[in-house]
Amino acid sequence: MDIGAKIKQLRTQKDLTLEELASRCELTKGFLSQVERNLTSPSIATLNDILEALGTSLSDFFREDKDEKSVFRQEDFFVDEREGYTIHWIVPNSQKNEMEPVLVEVEPGQKTFEVAPHDGEEFGFVLEGRVTLVDGETETIVKKGETFYLHGKNFHYLRNDKRTMAKVIWICTPPLF
């Protein structure tokens, strides 16, 4: 969290100048300027004084807003290359959310890790290639443009039996990856 930027945002939302905020919390304008630019860090007591002057509390200030960011760009993604497949976390820090969407690339002749049984659901959409969904004892081919939906009752994974890369958007709830 960028504390300085968040303080500045709250200050400007309240239509306060640095001088007015400094007066309200008995600090210098220069010190507050340095805090907003992350050149110095206030103590907890000082931060509490600043936030009180801005009409909020420490707990509200540090509470993460679920709707904080709703659009993610490629530069936001986190990539984890594993043996035989690559996982792209296309919604960063989605473990804190109800569902976790990832882009999985499965190399030719390889498979993903085996997902253990869980009390959740999963959805997948094959963007490229074709995969075999292995769900317990059942194997089902899922082609480009097709989807799968399953409850996490069995051990399961995706396998790519073809000679081309397979790409799948895989969404889990609760987050698993």
Side-chain angles (χ1 to χ4, degrees):
M1 169 184 286
D2 186 341
I3 292 173
K6 195 163 181 181
I7 289 171
K8 183 175 183 175
Q9 178 186 17
L10 287 170
R11 178 179 62 78
T12 55
Q13 283 174 350
K14 300 277 185 188
D15 258 351
L16 294 173
T17 65
L18 270 172
E19 215 166 341
E20 290 168 327
L21 179 59
S23 175
R24 287 183 183 194
C25 53
E26 298 179 358
L27 297 168
T28 67
K29 178 181 166 184
F31 176 76
L32 282 177
S33 174
Q34 288 181 344
V35 169
E36 286 186 357
R37 292 180 291 139
N38 293 312
L39 298 176
T40 191
S41 298
S43 67
I44 296 295
T46 301
L47 179 60
N48 191 49
D49 290 343
I50 295 168
L51 297 177
E52 276 185 18
L54 291 169
T56 190
S57 66
L58 282 168
S59 61
D60 287 341
F61 183 77
F62 286 107
R63 183 172 296 128
E64 290 291 329
D65 186 2
K66 284 190 174 188
D67 298 325
E68 194 172 281
K69 187 170 183 178
S70 57
V71 175
F72 301 95
R73 311 270 185 244
Q74 202 159 10
E75 59 267 15
D76 298 322
F77 300 175
F78 173 75
V79 179
D80 184 7
E81 293 183 16
R82 301 182 183 186
E83 189 174 330
Y85 64 98
T86 302
I87 298 176
H88 300 258
W89 274 270
I90 54 180
V91 176
N93 298 316
S94 60
Q95 298 88 349
K96 68 181 175 165
N97 298 330
E98 296 293 320
M99 62 180 168
E100 180 180 39
V102 294
L103 169 62
V104 180
E105 296 176 329
V106 188
E107 295 175 24
Q110 300 293 318
K111 68 177 191 169
T112 63
F113 71 98
E114 194 166 347
V115 179
H118 61 92
D119 291 330
E121 299 175 344
E122 298 174 45
F123 166 83
F125 178 75
V126 179
L127 295 169
E128 288 182 24
R130 141 182 144 174
V131 293
T132 300
L133 171 63
V134 180
D135 183 17
E137 300 297 316
T138 306
E139 293 189 10
T140 308
I141 293 174
V142 188
K143 300 175 187 171
K144 177 182 177 180
E146 295 180 338
T147 62
F148 62 85
Y149 186 94
L150 57 111
H151 297 276
K153 296 176 183 175
N154 301 312
F155 281 95
H156 55 280
Y157 60 91
L158 298 177
R159 187 178 68 224
N160 181 359
D161 297 324
K162 300 306 267 177
R163 293 183 180 185
T164 58
M165 179 75 73
K167 292 183 181 183
V168 178
I169 295 288
W170 196 343
I171 302 170
C172 302
T173 181
L176 297 171
F177 289 98

